[in-house]
Amino acid sequence: MIAITATNDFVIKFANVNGSGSASANEMFARAIIRMGVPVAPRNIFPSNIQGMPTWYELRVSAEGWNGRRGGCDLMVALNAQTWDRDIAEIEPGGYLVYDSTRELPRSKFRDDINVIGVPLTAICAKEFANPTQRALFKNIMYVGVLTALLDMEFAVVEQLIAQQYRGKDKLIEGNRRAAKIGYDHAREHFACPLGLRIERSNGVGDRIFIDGNSAVGLGAVYGGATVAAWYPITPSTSVIEAFSAYCRKYRTDPDSGAARYAIVQAEDELASIGMVIGAGWNGVRAFTATSGPGISLMQEFIGLAYFAEIPAVIVNVQRGGPSTGMPTRTQQSDLVACAYASHGDTRHVLLFPEDPHECFTFAAQSFDLAERLQTPVFIMTDLDIGMNDRLCAPFDWDDSRCYDRGKVMSAEELDEGKSFGRYLDVDGDGIPYRTIPGTHPSKGAFFTRGTTRNAYAKYSEAGQDYVYNMERLRRKQDTARKLIPAPVLAEASQSTRYGVIHYGSTSPAMAEALAQMEADNVHVDALRVRGFPFADEVNAFIDAHEAVFVVEQNESGQLRSMLINEGDLNPKKLIRVLHYDGTPITARFIADAISTVIEDRKVQPLTPSLNKVMS
Amino acid sequence: MIAITATNDFVIKFANVNGSGSASANEMFARAIIRMGVPVAPRNIFPSNIQGMPTWYELRVSAEGWNGRRGGCDLMVALNAQTWDRDIAEIEPGGYLVYDSTRELPRSKFRDDINVIGVPLTAICAKEFANPTQRALFKNIMYVGVLTALLDMEFAVVEQLIAQQYRGKDKLIEGNRRAAKIGYDHAREHFACPLGLRIERSNGVGDRIFIDGNSAVGLGAVYGGATVAAWYPITPSTSVIEAFSAYCRKYRTDPDSGAARYAIVQAEDELASIGMVIGAGWNGVRAFTATSGPGISLMQEFIGLAYFAEIPAVIVNVQRGGPSTGMPTRTQQSDLVACAYASHGDTRHVLLFPEDPHECFTFAAQSFDLAERLQTPVFIMTDLDIGMNDRLCAPFDWDDSRCYDRGKVMSAEELDEGKSFGRYLDVDGDGIPYRTIPGTHPSKGAFFTRGTTRNAYAKYSEAGQDYVYNMERLRRKQDTARKLIPAPVLAEASQSTRYGVIHYGSTSPAMAEALAQMEADNVHVDALRVRGFPFADEVNAFIDAHEAVFVVEQNESGQLRSMLINEGDLNPKKLIRVLHYDGTPITARFIADAISTVIEDRKVQPLTPSLNKVMS
Amino acid sequence: MTYLAKPRLLSELQPRNELGYTRRDYEGAISTLCAGCGHDSVSAAIVQACYELDIQPHRMAKLSGIGCSSKTPDYFLGASHGFNSVHGRMPSVATGAALANRDLIYLGVSGDGDSASIGIGQFAHAMRRGVNMTYIVENNGVYGLTKGQFSATADKGSKSKKGVLNADSPIDLVALALQLGASYVGRSFSGDKEQLIPLIKGALRHHGPAFIDVISPCVTFNNHAGSTKSYDYVREHNEAVNRIEVIMSRHPIEASYAPGSLRRVVQHDGSVLLLRKLGTEYDPTDRIGAMNHLHERHALGEIVTGLLYVDEGAEDMHRNLNTVETPLNQLDDADLCPGSLALDALNASLR
Amino acid sequence: MTYLAKPRLLSELQPRNELGYTRRDYEGAISTLCAGCGHDSVSAAIVQACYELDIQPHRMAKLSGIGCSSKTPDYFLGASHGFNSVHGRMPSVATGAALANRDLIYLGVSGDGDSASIGIGQFAHAMRRGVNMTYIVENNGVYGLTKGQFSATADKGSKSKKGVLNADSPIDLVALALQLGASYVGRSFSGDKEQLIPLIKGALRHHGPAFIDVISPCVTFNNHAGSTKSYDYVREHNEAVNRIEVIMSRHPIEASYAPGSLRRVVQHDGSVLLLRKLGTEYDPTDRIGAMNHLHERHALGEIVTGLLYVDEGAEDMHRNLNTVETPLNQLDDADLCPGSLALDALNASLR
Ligand SMILES: Cc1ncc(C[n+]2csc(CCOP(=O)(O)OP(=O)(O)O)c2C)c(N)n1
Ligand SMILES: Cc1ncc(C[n+]2csc(CCOP(=O)(O)OP(=O)(O)O)c2C)c(N)n1
Ligand code: SF4
Ligand code: SF4
Ligand SMILES: [Mg+2]
Ligand SMILES: [Mg+2]
């Protein structure tokens, strides 16, 4: 029988039961590989449930550092009886199965074309540990030990990680170490180590850091100067606030008084959380909330208020599968339209699309400058895939000379100097008016904020011309926004080409890999990664410069494509949908296949409208 | 000085103070003209306020029966000191001013180029009526009497209307009649009657009826079999429910028990009202709510639930000026995108666009068939202009052989016969699954409804393929919807033309008039009135058949145009925006000017992309 | 996963109720909650209550919001239609359902996050509107499904698993329900099925808004020392004011309690609630007294349980709306459509 | 339009408060409400209260929802920033504002529709969260701005202008506020400025969530016979439990009441509330007693007014959150940004 052989380049999958403590063992295993200098990209596939349901941890080991999902599975660690059959079926021919052989299983439960490694984990634990909770927990770290041996990894690295993780809790260090060692020794004793798959020390990781996007957003909000966070728990956004809270405690606790230089309020729902953010933004702090689809739907009325009354606010939308409660623990990019045109009436909002934790940090910090400069809500559009999974990415950086851009805030001094103040007056031609913060001046600059129409001096007015003035100014403001948001990133093909591809957000690593694959197959496509909305001028220029442009998205209806067409008055025939929306992260393989097929077809048959069809 | 002369074709405007009781006098005056067989189109221009603020009643008298707003004012009845200056300024040169001359005004307060008719209304009332509230109220009917004389109308008609309106209240009849007569006599005594403007008996009204769109929707809901209405007050939709309630009392009170064959609940907010509608629809009745923009924003999460769980619901959106609280008493068509793609995730909803009260009735009745057939929310998109103003329109009709289409509801008998039931199974290929109503069968057909993803048998499932099956089926359902919604209405130009125009909803009368004006100017444009979304195939065919198509809308961003492009994959360059969005109803003049200018330009210079610019 | 479906075969031997249903007929899908979760005990109590009341499973509709608690309707009464709506908005959906068909029995199941945080508005209004339903909150003081944040019922000073003290005032749903017009109000504990089952039975038989707050510990996130919603804490601070027994109208009343300690409440449908007083002199028909007792004992740190209030003459929403006896969802075209003649007359009046 | 702006010239002659402001300095735009609307009297009381308390107008922030009542912040304190937010959601906006700057005085004005119907959830949570603000509901039992529908505070049996009887149980915001943790709770009547002005003063001086329910008749839609929120009805059923006098810390206390009938409450900022008991023996520091009294009298059809509850040791949200003394909106880049060195260290820990 064949056995897959690969070094630093394969996929391991752990099939576990949720709530069983496997998550931290799996993560430690991933870190161990990183410590050996080999890049990994892990993904949690978990249910909307607390305990007892299937959960998977998919770990892609990639010498080249591809962060996208690869698909397939070379080594399955199958520890969940409920999902046994499908887990076994998923293994690539010639792949490996590691399982708990304590209970004997009939031959029919296995496959002939895979390599089976049975370790009696439960039995060993029962023998080695007396305490029943210990037994259950140490089983997890024990299979880490087994894998360490099977994959030829350095046991010292695992030991180090255990020591770090349980620093100060000597008993736990000892127990975990022992469990890992038992597993390690057992494997070396009973199996030919290493398998065809192995990890070899390398320096593929470089200075990259390993963190999830939600933590990065939380940290970015600290660096961006956010002081108020109001939120309501919802998967997959909850950890944004948990991280913000932890980093605030660390960095924003007044050293003298121990008091907090921030305020975090768990609101009673999403209407209240966005209301608090708006109240806080109006009153001169940088405030944000984090939520997901259902929260976005609930916030619609308030978002319209912030837009029309022109109040800075940052909304982090960690997207999950929609519509409705949808797939709460799966990933999608399907809230673009709901955010870009949020609320009734004619609106248009600023969106940012970070690709990874590094940009989650950068954009989160920048979003507050944008929100205050533009006096409007700014959405950070991440998703479960980058939000809740650790990723290797460029280290965070910060320029200490950078100052927060608080935008056009009129001070008491300026008012005293006699600067004229019209809250909704476009004095600079960029559509952005001046504002004052409550409490600024005893007699000047106070105004009445409202969501109803008013004149440039914030007086209630039902006059058509006041309304039109305001709407036209808001349009100008959107043009200003276009210039301020992060510019798109161009990746040119090695040869000049008629084909372009536009993508955004968490699609980035799969896209990069797909481009490399296609280049290898002599298919050349220029790629533009869009990073914000309203779209920068470069986006239209890019589309103009190509005969056909693929738009790769993780939603069903091609939402970014619609926005491109609408906003750029582009011919839709030119924009070819590449859509993946079943809730799993998109793969390079999927993208490359979809694009290559169309390009191949076009070689045979020249450009016709009928070619423009949905790719998924 | 010139004096405008016109018979059955002019604009009168009443400038009043709100809460002063002028509304019913003005309306009676409009009815008097109709009773003389002359068509009128009135419009209330009112503030978001209860008492003491300016309000206008603009009455277009049009022999040809044009229902659109004309613009300008030939006769101003100026009864509000607050707005005197702008009211006087608005009168066309040669036009007429009627005012209360009790208090003398300086010459500077008038214009030289208008005809001034001063009637000491307050003084006469003070003399004639003892009771102070009577004095104030009868002043209104008194100016109606004055106008009756000035415009050469039949006093008997007014008398008749008074008798009808106050039937059973003899004192009121007498008082009102007397006040009207005093005004009538005063005018005939003091002025040369008639003015250049006059009403001449005709039969231009025919069998048309005079009613507002909101009442028509309420009546349509009764005819459509709605039994549950849950709502929350909001201008301009409140009268939909008031009408539904009144018609239900009239037509749906059980003759024996006096009990109600309907239930109307004033909910605590819009989230609750749509929730109740969904609960009721799930439980097998026809239910609806009526709201406006802010309510639509609040309903987003629930709309997504109804969409994804596939529950029939009808939502009447009487649109007003947005965004946010916006212009609560002005008209717009600016919630199309907020409704068509309501809620997070990939959604697409059914919209209907009635043009006038006749269609408000028809579509309201039909919407329940559509909602139950398609098992989805259906939006009736009216607006303040047709919702809250009386319109002459074709009489309502009803075919008694028509049966309600309850859609695919599986009965206990069918279940007993062994018909297989999968709640989300596409058995017929039209994307529409079968449902059962709670309580149907003791052991078969029960299922669990949820907004999370599930398989075709309504079991919770996080599997990607179950999700995709469902989303693809929903797409098919949308294709089915496309065929069921009211077809667009084509109005061909007298000559074949390269130009088309698409419009919808309350724009219809102004559009019809604009087409006639343009025809008269030898500008030929084919017109298509879109009546529903997802768009029928004819819409794309129409666009394909023309070189350029204008899209006339009452919003700032061209929302229907965006939807046309998105859904039809059309070249935006072909679709030229004609946008009017200051909150006043669009006029024929505006449309004809906008379209003619572009066509004129194109005669000089052939089709270039740059021509495609915003027209307002 | 406390409830494993028993193999079908056994059901032949199981006892049957008046309608011939076994207890099994009132069960649902296998629970996916954490082992030991209080919510599973509440599901079991609901199953038992429906079985004992001889309810036809399909004449009941189960509704919920979102949360671990709101998942539970999938785990009982598999032959009933269920509706797992959106977070915090079950009351409006239940109200709409009740409008559509006044003849079904409506059971709403919710959580403390679902009803006291995001859903407090809908909760309050459903109570005051008089929706004829049984509304059960499975109250654990935390958001279970989103992993243990405090909910609005968490007591001031209660300690989270991570050691954080709650600073906000708690919302007492029972006090609110009493104040807002619920006509049957009780509190119980998921660990006390002797009390819980009859309380649910009485509620299902009640005509009007019946509310039961069930303290139902979250073993995963809120069962530690320092929590005031743990099994241990509730057991220690539980003060039951009465024990209830529900007697169906067709059964003779055989009560073995000493006279004087018993109170008899006849409900709208003829069913009788027998209330045995415990400890304090407590009058369950005195709304103001009930509120007072609740507040006083709460101030002392006690959790008052039992049937706290019942209004024998309660009315429901349909009565207020004067709707016809026939459920609205059974009216047909002829009942509803006024027809063309009426329309012609109306047209004429509009000229 | 009850308040017509007086010509500027006069102000020279007007009396001035300690800060040198005239009453005029606390006024706002001209009211556009109906002549006689109760809300205008509440605005006048707010003006008077702020004038008497020597508040710097710009140190106050006015917030509201949507409704006739919610329009009123435009009609007082023209030199303060105001925020007319969305319907029913003022409390969250006020909470956010209060988080941003703990040093301003926050005044929320709302209606009964705004706070008891659509907004009851936010109202409840702002109270329990301890937002340091004065929250006034101008309660007329109807939706004024949308023309007279019943709101959730309309009493059961109250008659609408069109003759319809209200069937739903009323929501008593005072009872709710008491239950939910408000630390200053009063009720008054727009027609009784003697009572209302000091009540508002005490609230503005209170540290914590202060709630005042002001019955404020809607002359246009709810002032007829049969309404329980009409001027006449309220006058007849008003039962004041006390009269309050607010003494600023810098003033000596000179009270002329007989000892024994007076109760002295010292607030957080040193201001003193002198409460003269009327009629019943009423203890305004007994929360449970207050609730009880309220419920009992309500059952008798009486409208209890006065300062019903005050907690001298009240704490606010900032205390619970342990935020720094400096308002958050005055922290600068250096206070907030951890800088590049910290980031480098963090990067290192993530490898
Ligand atoms: C609009 C919305 N916001 C947030 C969530 C996330 N969410 C799901 S359940 C839940 C809380 C559930 O708490 P509770 O009602 O107490 O139920 P428990 O799990 O404790 O039984 C939250 C916040 C959601 N589903 N929808
Ligand atoms: C989301 C939303 N729904 C409905 C409305 C319409 N609306 C405006 S004010 C109001 C009720 C106001 O009642 P209340 O708060 O009692 O104020 P009052 O006018 O009686 O002072 C309503 C329903 C709105 N503005 N926004
Ligand atoms: S998390 Fe808590 S509430 Fe949820 S199932 Fe587990 S124990 Fe029950
Ligand atoms: S409608 Fe009523 S509440 Fe509104 S301004 Fe008039 S009197 Fe006041
Ligand atoms: Mg809970
Ligand atoms: Mg009100």
Side-chain angles (χ1 to χ4, degrees), chain A residues 48 50 232-235 238 266 268-271 291-298 320 325 328, chain B residues 301 344, chain C residues 33 37 39 65-72 85-89 110-118 137-149 151-153 216 218 221:
Chain A
S48 177
I50 303 302
Y232 190 70
I234 186 167
T235 307
T238 300
Q266 184 187 310
E268 63 271 26
D269 65 7
E270 288 86 349
L271 285 94
T291 187
S292 190
I296 294 292
S297 281
L298 286 172
R320 62 190 217 182
T325 316
Chain B
E301 190 193 15
H344 60 281
Chain C
L33 303 184
C37 176
H39 302 352
I66 305 278
C68 295
S69 35
S70 292
K71 283 181 176 183
T72 64
S85 64
V86 288
H87 191 32
R89 320 292 176 190
S110 178
D112 45 319
D114 203 58
S115 277
S117 298
I118 188 170
V137 167
E138 298 179 353
N139 188 349
N140 54 17
V142 289
Y143 298 166
L145 193 55
T146 53
K147 308 207 163 178
Q149 301 85 4
S151 81
T153 65
S216 171
C218 170
F221 299 111

Side-chain angles (χ1 to χ4, degrees), chain A residues 301, chain B residues 232-235 270 291 294-295 298 320 325, chain D residues 39 66-70 86-87 110-115 118 138 140-146 149 151 218:
Chain A
E301 190 192 18
Chain B
Y232 190 71
I234 187 166
T235 308
E270 288 86 350
T291 189
L298 286 173
R320 63 188 214 182
T325 315
Chain D
H39 302 351
I66 304 278
C68 295
S69 34
S70 292
V86 288
H87 191 30
S110 176
D112 43 319
D114 202 58
S115 277
I118 188 170
E138 299 179 352
N140 54 18
V142 290
Y143 297 165
L145 193 57
T146 53
Q149 301 84 3
S151 81
C218 170

